[in-house]
């Protein structure tokens, strides 16, 4: 029963994650990301982490995705299509800058990936007291302690990564040509 | 120029809550006051002789209308709701309607027919309800329009009274 | 297997009662509003109009399903589900009464489940109901719906903050996220141990924030008939529309239950600590029923706020007050 639920949740998570990237309509992307988070929460629940599951839904599902949806709806990205991409944009031409950016992105991404994998393997040791939790809620003090003492550096590094992503999105979105001057038709 | 002076609110008023509680107490008390709704089909509207309902024909003697099919109401009717076919009769009035039909869907209850009638034959009754399933069922013939003199008497008296004023 | 059966029966009974209560709530809304306006309200279908919700339901089923031109059909269909399901899920953690002993069979506590993180679950799932509103507004491809959806989501996010901060005060006092533990902490036989007496400010803010959270008058900017026709559900018809309403009324009932549990001692009976379960259930229903009535009562008493007033109230009044309340609560707890 639990195995079956896990496979269903995992399948839904993967499919919706693919849907986030492939969907043309940004709102559909947001909705599939939301269901991805939902199925992740189910997986957490099956693993015994009630608290994490609730936080996943509360923070990601309830707060962050609503903001995403808000922004997507306000910007009205529905009409954007790939042919409109402006190839004159300096970001596409300045090879050195874009290569540098790519390198930084890959470095940060792989660093965080390695960090996550190693951290997960480390935490999976029974002596570290996180997995398997007998009671989902009882593991919470252990989780908090691990996050705020021993692993505070990776924790902060992850937030720096998120900040870098936010700034990058801002830079990409604030390209001049995408906002025509008021009262002037776009040619 | 009208100058409206804004009242400075007291602290209790600016906190909203006391005022909200006052409003709540008013609505709560209203819940137990007697209701003013009329339960319509069981409690029909009060009518009197001034009520201008649907037009009805007055029955003069047993089985005979007061109408002489002169056609004045037909001519007066702004909605062309009235159709009359007249015929001769052995009675003293010599003429009576063979067919007197009012299309209730066209009738606008204006009362012009009542004013035009020289023989006190058509009156606006106190009947107000009108419902049916087909258009045909709204074409009222003599059988549906006929009312006894007693039924229409209050309205007759009323019309006589106001006509004396002119 | 026997445990499974008991849980199944409990689930069916509680959800049946929830949906029945939501249906009755629509009738109560019309009845009370009528009485407050010196009218009778629905009284034709069944005795005292009791079958009116059933008649409404049948009418909804026979209405035509409309999907506006240019709308995104899948999201359009998803939105009412997303509106109704979270509201109905949250009732799972509400403790209605203590140990139930029926015909000599011990059925356990009267609630679908007693989660350790009941409060978190409630807040997390309840927070999802905003998607129904916002997606319904967006997918309708109508300016009124979109405005209604945007307003509703902005409002729900703003007030969720104060709501959660206030819940935190109660959680800090009890030291548990389990709703049953919170109830039991207040169940001492003395009504003065109810949280409403130790946290009066929190209680007032919480009640007002629930009104905003459920999009009810005087904060119903999601609908706001004079400005937005009907807000996010302008384009909905038939059972989809009914689902929105079901969600709204279920959310109201859950919020009434939550207020009862957090502040009025849940199922605890005044001056009777070890009351039998049906007395506890009666006590719970009376308290929750009062708050459900309060939703209706306030709706037919107060005029609607302006949207900027609502935001002002949420961010500049309730949020600082809730934070200060949490601070004082924490200080008192750590000093005592």
């Amino acid at each position: 029963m639990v195995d079956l639920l896990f496979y269903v949740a995992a399948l839904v998570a993967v499919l919706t994650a693919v849907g986030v990237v492939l969907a043309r309509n940004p709102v559909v992307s947001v909705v599939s990301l939301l269901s991805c988070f939902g199925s992740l929460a189910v997986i957490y629940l099956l693993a015994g982490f009630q608290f994490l599951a609730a936080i996943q839904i509360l923070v990601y599902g309830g707060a962050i995705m609503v903001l995403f949806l808000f922004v997507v709806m306000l910007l009205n990205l529905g009409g954007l299509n790939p042919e409109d991409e402006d190839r004159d944009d300096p970001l596409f031409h300045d090879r050195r800058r874009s290569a540098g950016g790519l390198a930084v992105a890959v470095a940060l991404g792989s660093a965080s990936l390695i960090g996550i994998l190693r951290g997960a393997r480390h935490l999976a040791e029974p002596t570290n007291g996180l997995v398997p939790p007998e009671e989902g809620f009882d593991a919470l003090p252990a989780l908090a302690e691990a996050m705020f003492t021993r692993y505070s550096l990776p924790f902060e590094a992850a937030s720096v990564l998120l900040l870098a992503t936010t700034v990058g999105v801002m830079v990409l979105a604030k390209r001049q040509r995408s906002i025509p001057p008021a009262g002037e038709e776009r040619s | 120029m009208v100058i409206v002076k804004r009242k400075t609110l007291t602290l209790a008023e600016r906190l909203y809550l006391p005022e909200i509680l006052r409003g709540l107490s008013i609505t709560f008390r209203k819940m137990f006051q007697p209701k003013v709704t009329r339960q319509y089909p069981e409690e029909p509207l009060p009518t009197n002789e001034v009520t201008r309902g649907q037009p009805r024909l007055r029955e003069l003697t047993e089985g005979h209308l007061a109408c002489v099919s002169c056609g004045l109401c037909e001519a007066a009717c702004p909605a062309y709701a009235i159709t009359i076919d007249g015929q001769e009769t052995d009675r003293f009035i010599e003429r009576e309607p063979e067919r007197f039909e009012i299309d209730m869907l066209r009738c606008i209850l204006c009362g012009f027919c009542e004013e035009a009638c020289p023989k006190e034959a058509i009156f606006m009754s106190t009947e107000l309800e009108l419902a049916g399933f087909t258009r045909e069922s709204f074409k009222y013939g003599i059988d549906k329009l006929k009312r006894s003199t007693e039924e229409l008497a209050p309205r007759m008296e009323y019309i006589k009274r106001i006509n004396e004023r002119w | 297997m026997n445990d499974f059966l008991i849980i199944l029966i409990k689930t069916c009974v509680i959800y049946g009662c929830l949906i029945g209560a939501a249906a009755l709530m629509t009738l109560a809304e019309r009845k009370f509003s009528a009485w407050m306006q010196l009218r009778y309200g629905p009284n034709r279908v069944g005795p005292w109009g009791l079958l009116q919700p059933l008649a409404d339901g049948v009418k909804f089923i026979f209405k035509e399903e409309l999907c506006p031109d240019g709308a995104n059909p899948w999201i359009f269909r998803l939105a009412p589900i997303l509106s109704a399901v979270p509201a109905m899920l949250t009732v799972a953690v509400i403790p209605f009464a203590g140990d139930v002993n029926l015909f000599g069979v011990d059925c356990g506590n009267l609630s679908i489940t007693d989660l350790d993180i009941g409060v978190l679950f409630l807040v997390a799932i309840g927070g999802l109901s905003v998607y129904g509103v916002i997606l319904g507004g967006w997918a309708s491809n109508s300016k009124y719906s979109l405005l209604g959806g945007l307003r509703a989501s902005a409002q729900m996010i703003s007030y969720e903050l104060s709501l959660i901060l206030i819940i935190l005060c109660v959680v800090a006092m009890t030291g548990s996220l389990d709703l049953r533990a919170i109830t039991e902490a207040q169940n001492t036989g003395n009504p003065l141990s109810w949280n409403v007496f130790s946290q009066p400010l929190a209680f007032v803010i919480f009640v007002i924030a629930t009104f905003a959270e459920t999009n009810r008058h005087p904060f119903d900017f999601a609908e706001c008939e004079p400005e937005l026709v009907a807000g996010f559900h302008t384009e909905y018809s038939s059972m989809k529309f009914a689902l929105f309403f079901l969600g709204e009324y279920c959310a109201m009932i859950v919020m009434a239950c939550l207020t009862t549990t957090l502040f009025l001692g849940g199922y605890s009976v005044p001056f009777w600590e070890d009351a039998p379960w049906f007395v506890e259930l009666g006590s719970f229903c009376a308290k929750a029923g009062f708050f459900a009535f309060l939703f209706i009562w306030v709706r037919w008493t107060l005029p609607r706020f302006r949207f900027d007033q609502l935001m002002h109230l949420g961010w500049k009044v309730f949020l600082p007050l809730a934070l200060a309340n949490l601070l004082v609560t924490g200080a008192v707890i750590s000093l005592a």
Side-chain angles (χ1 to χ4, degrees), chain C residues 163-197:
Chain C
L163 202 72
I164 294 175
L165 283 173
I166 292 300
I167 293 177
L168 269 185
C169 296
V170 175
V171 168
M173 282 185 67
T174 320
S176 170
L177 287 169
D178 186 354
L179 281 171
R180 187 168 297 278
I182 291 173
T183 306
E184 284 301 332
Q186 301 172 65
N187 188 8
T188 57
N190 182 2
L192 282 178
S193 65
W194 292 355
N195 284 334
V196 62
F197 297 109

Side-chain angles (χ1 to χ4, degrees), chain B residues 38-146:
Chain B
R38 180 181 302 281
Q39 295 288 302
Y40 168 62
E42 292 88 16
E43 291 175 51
L45 283 168
T47 56
N48 56 24
E49 68 272 12
V50 187
T51 309
R52 205 167 66 205
Q54 296 165 14
R56 291 290 180 265
L57 299 178
R58 186 167 70 96
E59 197 177 24
L60 191 59
T61 52
E62 192 61 45
H64 297 290
L65 295 177
C67 178
V68 294
S69 66
C70 64
L72 279 177
C73 55
E74 197 176 8
C77 185
Y80 304 110
I82 303 178
T83 317
I84 307 173
D85 291 339
Q87 68 181 12
E88 292 196 355
T89 174
D90 297 338
R91 288 158 60 213
F92 175 70
I93 56 175
E94 291 183 357
R95 275 176 69 80
E96 65 173 18
E98 182 192 358
R99 184 170 74 121
F100 194 111
E101 206 172 78
I102 302 180
D103 187 345
M104 281 301 170
L105 288 181
R106 305 199 68 148
C107 177
I108 55 170
L109 312 182
C110 62
F112 283 7
C113 45
E114 182 184 44
E115 273 181 41
C117 186
K119 301 299 284 184
E120 297 182 331
I122 187 164
F123 285 103
M124 307 308 278
S125 67
T126 55
E127 292 162 39
L128 295 162
E129 286 156 10
L130 186 67
F133 287 101
T134 58
R135 284 181 177 276
E136 279 309 304
S137 67
F138 287 105
K139 291 206 167 112
Y140 282 20
I142 292 172
D143 53 327
K144 278 190 178 168
L145 291 171
K146 197 158 60 177

Side-chain angles (χ1 to χ4, degrees), chain C residues 62-109:
Chain C
F62 284 110
K63 287 276 178 180
E64 186 185 357
E65 295 262 5
L66 292 174
C67 186
D69 193 25
N72 188 321
W74 289 107
I75 293 182
F76 188 74
R77 274 168 217 162
L78 185 70
I81 302 171
L82 272 182
S83 167
V85 168
M88 287 161 76
L89 270 183
T90 43
V91 85
V93 291
I94 303 275
F96 291 100
D99 221 12
V100 174
N101 206 320
L102 205 61
F103 309 119
V105 182
D106 184 21
C107 306
N109 291 326

Side-chain angles (χ1 to χ4, degrees), chain C residues 87-234:
Chain C
M88 287 161 76
L89 270 183
T90 43
V91 85
V93 291
I94 303 275
F96 291 100
D99 221 12
V100 174
N101 206 320
L102 205 61
F103 309 119
V105 182
D106 184 21
C107 306
N109 291 326
L110 186 60
S111 61
I112 293 177
T113 173
D114 289 333
L115 276 184
D116 288 336
I117 51 157
V119 175
L120 261 184
F121 174 84
L122 216 147
V123 170
I125 302 290
L128 289 182
S129 59
V130 66
Y131 284 106
V133 174
I134 190 170
L135 285 176
W138 180 81
S140 298
N141 195 26
S142 146
K143 51 183 176 286
Y144 297 119
S145 303
L146 184 65
L147 274 176
L150 281 178
R151 278 178 172 197
S153 47
Q155 169 187 344
M156 284 167 99
I157 294 169
S158 315
Y159 277 81
E160 215 158 56
L161 277 176
S162 321
L163 202 72
I164 294 175
L165 283 173
I166 292 300
I167 293 177
L168 269 185
C169 296
V170 175
V171 168
M173 282 185 67
T174 320
S176 170
L177 287 169
D178 186 354
L179 281 171
R180 187 168 297 278
I182 291 173
T183 306
E184 284 301 332
Q186 301 172 65
N187 188 8
T188 57
N190 182 2
L192 282 178
S193 65
W194 292 355
N195 284 334
V196 62
F197 297 109
S198 48
Q199 298 271 10
L201 178 67
F203 174 70
V204 171
I205 295 176
F206 186 84
V207 169
I208 297 174
T210 52
F211 280 84
E213 191 62 18
T214 47
N215 283 322
R216 283 289 295 189
H217 244 273
F219 308 124
D220 64 339
F221 294 96
E223 296 172 27
C224 204
E225 307 88 288
E227 297 163 34
L228 297 177
V229 191
F232 61 95
H233 55 58
T234 304

Side-chain angles (χ1 to χ4, degrees), chain A residues 78-137:
Chain A
L80 203 71
N81 62 60
E83 284 78 42
D84 279 358
E85 289 290 314
D86 198 347
R87 296 288 163 187
D88 293 340
D89 191 14
L91 272 177
F92 282 97
H93 281 279
D94 192 341
R95 289 291 157 90
R96 253 188 316 183
R97 262 164 66 190
S98 42
L102 191 67
V104 171
V106 167
L108 268 177
S110 47
S112 59
L113 195 65
I114 292 169
I116 289 169
L117 287 177
R118 286 193 55 188
R121 264 179 58 197
H122 183 76
L123 286 174
E125 302 279 324
T127 47
N128 288 314
L130 251 179
V131 178
E134 291 302 320
E135 298 283 323
F137 192 61

Side-chain angles (χ1 to χ4, degrees), chain A residues 7-59:
Chain A
Y7 285 121
V8 170
L11 190 70
V12 171
V14 171
L15 285 182
T16 48
V18 171
V20 175
V21 186
L22 292 186
R24 302 210 112 183
N25 191 330
V27 174
V28 176
S29 280
V30 170
V31 171
S32 34
L33 192 53
L34 178 66
S35 26
C36 184
F37 286 154
S39 36
L40 279 185
V42 172
I43 293 174
Y44 288 149
L45 261 188
L46 292 174
F49 290 108
Q50 292 183 0
F51 180 77
L52 263 188
I55 289 295
Q56 170 87 13
I57 291 180
L58 181 63
V59 174

